[in-house]
Amino acid sequence: MKSRTRLLTLLLLLAMAGGYYAYPPSDPEPTPSPTPAPVASNPDKSGTLPLDAETKAQIRNYFAGVTIEPGKNNLNEAIHLDHSVGRPQMTEGRYREAYKTYQKVLAISYQQGNLMGVGIALLMLGDSAHRANQVEDAISTTMLAYHVAQVMNVTEEMGVAELALARMLKDLEPGLSVAWLLRAKDHLKGSRYVEDYVRVLPSFADHLRRQQENQRALATLSEAWKLAQSLGNAPTQKWTKWEVALDYAKDLDMAGQHEQAMAVMEGAQSSFTQEEKRSESYTSVLYRLARSNGYMRKTEDASRYYLASYANYERNRADAPGEAARAQLDQNYKGLVDAFVQFQLESKDVGGALALLESNKARTLNEILDDPSYKDTQEQWKAMERKHAAELTTLAETSDDPLVPASSRSVLLKFLSLQERQDQERKQWQALLRLQETTVAKSLSPQHVETLRRQLPSDVGVMSFFIGYEQAGVFVMSRQALRYVPLTVDLKEYQRAIQQLRVALTNPHNDFYREPAQWLYRSVLEPGLKLLPKDVKTLVYSPDGLLSVVPLEVFMDGDRFLGERLAIYRVPSLRYATAIQDVKAPPATWGIACVDPDIAGSRLPFQQETGEVIKTLYGKQAVSLTGKDCTEQKLASALHDRQQRVFVHIGAHGVFYPSNAMDSMIWLASDNGQQSQGQAWTAKAMATVDMTPVDLVTLSSCETGLTDPKLQRDVFGIVRALFFSGAKRVVAPLWAVHDQGTAEFMREFHAAYARKVPAVFALQQAQRTFMASKKYRHPFYWSAFVLTGAAR
C-alpha cells in the first residue's frame, strides 16, 4: 500500500509540473454547456472525444459491466441521474449507491462523446469513493478528471478537480495538499463556480490556522459564509452552506464569539427541511449548537441540543446498512460522544457520563450479542458457503471428459451459470443479514452503574478510561464510591508513549520499555489508583483508544510492574462487568486442546508439548487434537459433544489483518487431510461455531488479541468472533510471540487453572513466575497475553 501511495504522490507531482503521464497535446475543446439540450439516444460517439487511447481505456475501466437501458442512452438521462439521483444520494450519505449512479453517468457521457459530462462523472466518482474511505482510488479517479479538465482547457473545471485533490491529500500529503489548494483558489476566484470557490475557503482557512494565522483564517471563513448566502437550495449548495456554517461557527467559538457562532448555526439550522433533518449534516449542526450553548453556560439549552444531536446520531445509526457502516458512524461521531461525556461531567453527573461512555464502547459487539437471531443467520450463511463449495467441487469432478481442460467452453458456461446462481443466493442472504443487524441494544444506564458499584467485592476495583480528542480522564469505581479524575496529559505525548511502549515490548533484547511504561503509570494510571482502597487485589478495566494495544500489567511504578500488585481483567465495555462475579468465575474442569496442526513446513512442536501437558493435567477430562486432528471440523465436533463448561486451548499460527480485522485467521490442519495445505479458520468462520459451553479460550497464536486499529472504541477481530460464538473469556497475545516461551507460559497458566485457580489469578501467577525467571523476565514473553472477558 505504501508503494502505491508513493506512486500516486509522484503522479501528482508530475501533474503539478505540467503533465499527467505523457499524454500528447490536444487541441482545446470549446467549453460545452453544463446543461445540454435534450437529445435522443445516439450511437457510440466516444471516437469524437479528444483523448488518447490510454486515457479512454482508463475511463472505460470505471464503467466496465455497466448497462444502460436502450431508451436512456442520452445526455438528458445523464443529467437526470446526476441532479435527481446521484447528488441526493451523496447528501444522504449513501456513497456506494452514488458511486454506481455516477458509473452510469460516466458510461452515457462517454458514449455520447460529451467531455464535460465525463469530467463531472469522474469527479463525482472520486468524491463518493473518498467519502467511502477509499482514498487511493479516489485520488486516481480525480487525477483522471483533472486531466480531462486540462484537455478541455477550462480553468474552472481544473479548479474543481484541484480542490478535490487538496481535500483528499490533506492527511496523506499535507504540503502537496496546500499546493493544490492554492491552485484551486486562483482558478475558481471570480468564476461562475461560486459554490466551488466557497468550498475552497474553509480548506484555505484550515491551512492558515495551521500556520497560526487565526485572524486571517476567521476572516476567510467570514468571506465564505457571506458568499454561501447567495447560493441556491440545490442539495449540494445546501450542503456547502452547512459545511461552511460549521467551520465558521467552530472558529467563532475558538475566538470566544459564542453568540455570533450560535447565530450562524441557527441560520443554518433553519434551512433544513423535515426530511433533511435525518442527515448527518443536521446532527453536526445540533452538536455545534450544543457546544456553543455550553461555552455560554446555558446548561439547559446545551443539554437539549446534546440530547437532540445524540438522538439524531442514533437514528442515522439505526438506518445504516450493517454493522461495518454503524461502526464507521461511531468513529465519525466519537467527538460528539466525547463532548457529551465531558458536558455531563461538568454538570456533575458522573454516573451518567460513565454510562454514556461505556454504552459507546464495543457497541456493535453489544448489539449482536443482544440479538439471538443474528447467530442463526450466521450459521445459515456458513451452511450456504459450504454448499457452494460442494457444488463447485461436484461440477469439477463430473466433467464429461476428464482430459478436457477446465477452461473449455462447455465447462466454462456451466461454471458461469452456477456462479451467477450462487451470487444471487449470496445477495439474498446479505439482505437478510442486514435486516438482522438493525437491532439497537439498550444502553447502559446510570442505574446499572450504581448497581455495579454496590455489587463490587471489597477487593475489586474498576477503572474506565476516557481518551477524547480534547481531554482525557479515568472513572474510578470501588464499593465505596464512583469518582472521575481528569488527566493532565498532553494527548500527543500520550500517543507517542503508547506507541513507544508497544514497539519496545516486541523486542526482548533491550529494556527500552521502561521509560514509556513508567511515564504511562505516572500520567495515566496513578491518579486513578490513588482513589482505590488499599485492599483491592483485582482491577477490572475498560480501555479506550490506543490503550487497547498495550497490556496494563506492564505499566511500572518505579521498578515494579502493575501486574505484580494486581490481577488484571479487561472488558470491552462495563456492560460485561455488570455480572461482577464472573470476574472470579471458577475454572472449567473439562478441556479441549487443538495444537500443532499438521501443515507442511509450519509445525509447532512446543505447542504439541502444551497439548500433552493439558492432557496430563486433566486426564480423561481433556481432549487433545494434535497434528492432522487439529482441524476446524474436529474442534467443532468436540465442542458439540460437551454439555458441561469447558475451556479451549489453541496452539497454532495466527495472522492479524489490520485493514480487515474480521479476515484475521488461525491456521489449522485441513479437514480433507492434505498435509501440504493448512486451512484458514477466519474470524468470520469462528463466529459460526457454537461455543456456548466455553468458559475460557487460550490462544498461543500471534497477534490474535488485537482488534481493528481504526475503530479503537469497538472490537473487530478474532476476540470479537469468539465472544460472538459464545465464549466467556479469552486469553490472547497482542503481538507475535515466541514459540517455546509461549508453550512454557501456557504450561504455567494451565497448571494453576487446573488447580481451580480462576483465570484472572492463574494469568497473574504465570506472569509472576516469568517475571522472576532469568530466561523469560523480559515483558515480551509474559505481558503479551491479555485476559478479556465478555460474560453476560
Side-chain angles (χ1 to χ4, degrees):
M1 182 175 288
K2 289 182 179 177
S3 62
R4 187 178 176 191
T5 301
R6 285 195 293 268
L7 176 60
L8 285 170
T9 301
L10 177 61
L11 294 178
L12 289 162
L13 288 169
L14 286 171
M16 297 199 75
Y20 183 69
Y21 293 101
Y23 291 113
S26 305
D27 293 330
E29 181 184 66
T31 304
S33 168
T35 55
V39 294
S41 296
N42 292 316
D44 191 340
K45 299 179 182 177
S46 60
T48 65
L49 291 169
L51 301 169
D52 62 274
E54 185 177 355
T55 304
K56 288 183 177 181
Q58 290 177 358
I59 292 172
R60 287 195 300 271
N61 181 59
Y62 281 101
F63 62 84
V66 174
T67 56
I68 306 298
E69 295 177 31
K72 296 187 175 181
N73 190 7
N74 58 69
L75 291 180
N76 259 354
E77 177 65 13
I79 294 168
H80 166 73
L81 287 171
D82 178 17
H83 291 279
S84 302
V85 181
R87 296 189 189 249
Q89 286 171 338
M90 293 289 288
T91 304
E92 294 162 12
R94 295 184 288 143
Y95 307 127
R96 295 185 186 280
E97 294 174 41
Y99 191 91
K100 293 178 181 178
T101 297
Y102 282 104
Q103 283 182 301
K104 291 185 178 181
V105 175
L106 180 61
I108 295 171
S109 300
Y110 181 84
Q111 291 168 14
Q112 294 298 320
N114 188 279
L115 201 58
M116 175 68 82
V118 168
I120 291 172
L122 287 168
L123 273 174
M124 296 304 293
L125 282 173
D127 193 18
S128 55
H130 185 237
R131 292 174 186 275
N133 295 313
Q134 303 298 318
V135 179
E136 292 184 349
D137 290 334
I139 292 173
S140 299
T141 312
T142 308
M143 279 302 304
L144 196 54
Y146 180 65
H147 172 64
V148 170
Q150 286 180 311
V151 171
M152 289 191 297
N153 196 26
V154 179
T155 56
E156 295 164 333
E157 294 298 328
M158 291 166 59
V160 173
E162 288 159 352
L163 171 59
L165 288 166
R167 289 190 162 193
M168 293 171 188
L169 288 164
K170 181 179 177 181
D171 296 321
L172 190 64
E173 292 283 351
L176 203 54
S177 171
V178 172
W180 282 108
L181 183 65
L182 293 175
R183 276 194 175 188
K185 190 170 182 288
D186 287 342
H187 283 150
L188 292 170
K189 187 173 184 179
S191 74
R192 60 197 170 105
Y193 287 2
V194 177
E195 179 184 351
D196 293 289
Y197 180 64
V198 169
R199 293 177 65 192
V200 168
L201 296 177
S203 298
F204 184 58
D206 183 61
H207 164 64
L208 292 171
R209 201 181 303 112
R210 290 169 186 256
Q211 301 299 315
Q212 305 298 317
E213 297 187 53
N214 295 336
Q215 289 300 318
R216 282 188 66 196
L218 192 60
T220 300
L221 287 169
S222 176
E223 177 191 358
W225 179 240
K226 289 175 184 175
L227 287 171
Q229 306 309 300
S230 66
L231 298 178
N233 288 316
T236 58
Q237 293 173 326
K238 294 180 79 170
W239 179 85
T240 300
K241 289 181 189 178
W242 301 333
E243 290 292 297
V244 169
L246 286 165
D247 284 335
Y248 188 30
K250 182 178 179 180
D251 265 34
L252 287 169
D253 275 329
M254 289 172 59
Q257 300 177 37
H258 306 305
E259 288 189 7
Q260 191 173 347
M262 284 176 57
V264 170
M265 293 316 302
E266 286 169 353
Q269 184 186 20
S270 66
S271 67
F272 283 82
T273 65
Q274 196 61 37
E275 184 61 30
E276 289 167 345
K277 288 182 178 180
R278 294 185 65 88
S279 66
E280 292 183 48
S281 295
Y282 191 65
T283 305
S284 299
V285 168
L286 293 170
Y287 166 48
R288 194 73 245 163
L289 281 165
R291 295 293 298 267
S292 297
N293 277 281
Y295 288 134
M296 296 183 68
R297 299 291 187 267
K298 293 184 176 181
T299 305
E300 286 190 18
D301 288 338
S303 179
R304 176 167 55 86
Y305 279 119
Y306 270 121
L307 286 170
S309 59
Y310 191 79
N312 215 51
Y313 151 57
E314 291 277 14
R315 186 166 62 173
N316 292 154
R317 202 174 181 281
D319 291 340
E323 64 182 29
R326 293 203 303 277
Q328 188 59 55
L329 269 177
D330 294 339
Q331 183 67 14
N332 293 346
Y333 283 101
K334 181 180 181 293
L336 164 60
V337 173
D338 291 350
F340 199 2
V341 169
Q342 191 64 34
F343 173 77
Q344 289 184 302
L345 288 169
E346 291 168 0
S347 302
K348 311 301 181 187
D349 185 3
V350 178
L354 178 58
L356 176 65
L357 174 64
E358 290 299 324
S359 293
N360 283 277
K361 289 181 181 178
R363 192 154 187 210
T364 58
L365 177 62
N366 296 337
E367 289 163 356
I368 62 172
L369 290 180
D370 283 351
D371 182 3
S373 62
Y374 186 97
K375 186 171 181 179
D376 294 338
T377 310
Q378 286 283 354
E379 289 170 348
Q380 293 174 69
W381 173 269
K382 183 67 175 178
M384 177 207 68
E385 285 188 325
R386 285 178 173 149
K387 178 170 74 73
H388 286 181
E391 289 171 345
L392 288 171
T393 301
T394 301
L395 176 63
E397 291 175 349
T398 56
S399 173
D400 296 334
D401 184 350
L403 298 178
V404 175
S407 60
S408 70
R409 184 69 180 163
S410 61
V411 176
L412 180 61
L413 287 173
K414 291 178 183 178
F415 172 76
L416 292 174
S417 176
L418 175 60
Q419 192 174 50
E420 184 178 357
R421 180 173 61 77
Q422 289 183 345
D423 285 344
Q424 286 298 115
E425 194 171 351
R426 280 195 187 91
K427 288 176 183 178
Q428 291 170 2
W429 277 106
Q430 285 174 343
L432 179 57
L433 276 171
R434 286 186 174 186
L435 290 175
Q436 297 291 347
E437 291 173 4
T438 59
T439 299
V440 178
K442 293 180 180 178
S443 297
L444 198 66
S445 70
Q447 289 73 30
H448 290 138
V449 169
E450 180 61 16
T451 300
L452 172 60
R453 185 189 66 77
R454 290 176 179 172
Q455 291 178 348
L456 279 177
S458 60
D459 63 344
V460 175
V462 175
M463 297 177 72
S464 167
F465 291 95
F466 172 42
I467 310 297
Y469 290 128
E470 300 175 0
Q471 65 282 312
V474 58
F475 293 87
V476 183
M477 184 190 300
S478 65
R479 182 188 288 181
Q480 288 75 22
L482 168 64
R483 293 181 241 180
Y484 174 76
V485 186
L487 300 176
T488 56
V489 296
D490 180 282
L491 291 177
K492 289 184 178 179
E493 189 175 357
Y494 155 79
Q495 292 173 355
R496 187 161 52 248
I498 290 281
Q499 291 161 351
Q500 287 175 347
L501 177 61
R502 177 165 175 79
V503 171
L505 288 174
T506 60
N507 185 347
H509 304 297
N510 62 56
D511 289 344
F512 294 159
Y513 64 85
R514 299 178 67 86
E515 184 178 346
Q518 291 167 348
W519 186 91
L520 287 164
Y521 183 95
R522 291 193 308 270
S523 305
V524 177
L525 203 56
E526 191 172 43
L529 289 176
K530 287 180 177 178
L531 298 180
L532 289 175
K534 296 187 183 301
D535 55 350
V536 166
K537 303 298 181 187
T538 303
L539 177 64
V540 179
Y541 81 102
S542 166
D544 195 13
L546 288 176
L547 274 177
S548 63
V549 303
V550 292
L552 214 62
E553 292 94 320
V554 82
F555 287 16
M556 299 181 72
D557 177 10
D559 291 329
R560 194 179 182 196
F561 295 108
L562 179 67
E564 295 180 70
R565 291 175 46 197
L566 299 173
I568 309 297
Y569 189 100
R570 179 192 286 198
V571 291
S573 161
L574 289 189
R575 291 171 64 92
Y576 305 111
T578 50
I580 196 66
Q581 63 271 17
D582 286 327
V583 173
K584 300 180 184 179
T589 54
W590 292 76
I592 302 168
C594 183
V595 295
D596 186 25
D598 193 9
I599 304 171
S602 300
R603 299 302 296 270
L604 297 166
F606 290 111
Q607 301 310 312
Q608 186 174 144
E609 290 179 12
T610 304
E612 293 169 358
V613 167
I614 289 174
K615 187 70 176 172
T616 301
L617 288 169
Y618 290 90
K620 293 181 179 180
Q621 292 175 294
V623 174
S624 182
L625 305 172
T626 304
K628 64 182 180 180
D629 291 327
C630 183
T631 70
E632 177 186 349
Q633 199 169 48
K634 290 188 176 181
L635 177 58
S637 178
L639 283 168
H640 182 72
D641 294 340
R642 300 294 171 190
Q643 299 300 318
Q644 61 276 91
R645 291 167 57 249
V646 299
F647 70 84
V648 172
H649 173 76
I650 299 175
H653 289 291
V655 181
F656 175 70
Y657 293 118
S659 59
N660 194 344
M662 294 309 291
D663 284 338
S664 300
M665 64 185 67
I666 294 173
W667 283 97
L668 302 182
S670 175
D671 279 321
N672 62 18
Q674 293 181 5
Q675 182 181 3
S676 62
Q677 298 179 357
Q679 184 166 310
W681 193 30
T682 67
K684 291 175 182 175
M686 291 177 205
T688 68
V689 178
D690 184 6
M691 293 193 184
T692 306
V694 177
D695 189 79
L696 172 72
V697 178
T698 53
L699 298 176
S700 294
S701 304
C702 296
E703 297 186 327
T704 44
L706 288 174
T707 61
D708 190 334
K710 302 185 299 296
L711 305 168
Q712 294 167 359
R713 202 168 266 178
D714 212 325
V715 180
F716 280 85
I718 286 175
V719 170
R720 171 195 180 87
L722 293 172
F723 287 150
F724 174 68
S725 70
K728 310 298 187 299
R729 275 159 286 278
V730 178
V731 174
L734 298 177
W735 50 80
V737 289
H738 184 262
D739 185 24
Q740 183 178 359
T742 296
E744 294 189 31
F745 184 86
M746 284 300 170
R747 182 169 62 197
E748 292 289 340
F749 173 87
H750 278 286
Y753 193 72
R755 298 194 307 270
K756 295 184 171 50
V757 176
V760 65
F761 299 122
L763 182 67
Q764 185 186 34
Q765 287 185 26
Q767 290 172 336
R768 284 174 169 174
T769 299
F770 267 46
M771 289 177 203
S773 74
K774 183 177 181 180
K775 186 176 182 180
Y776 296 124
R777 64 187 176 188
H778 193 286
F780 164 79
Y781 297 103
W782 57 262
S783 70
F785 296 94
V786 172
L787 170 62
T788 307
R792 298 182 65 82

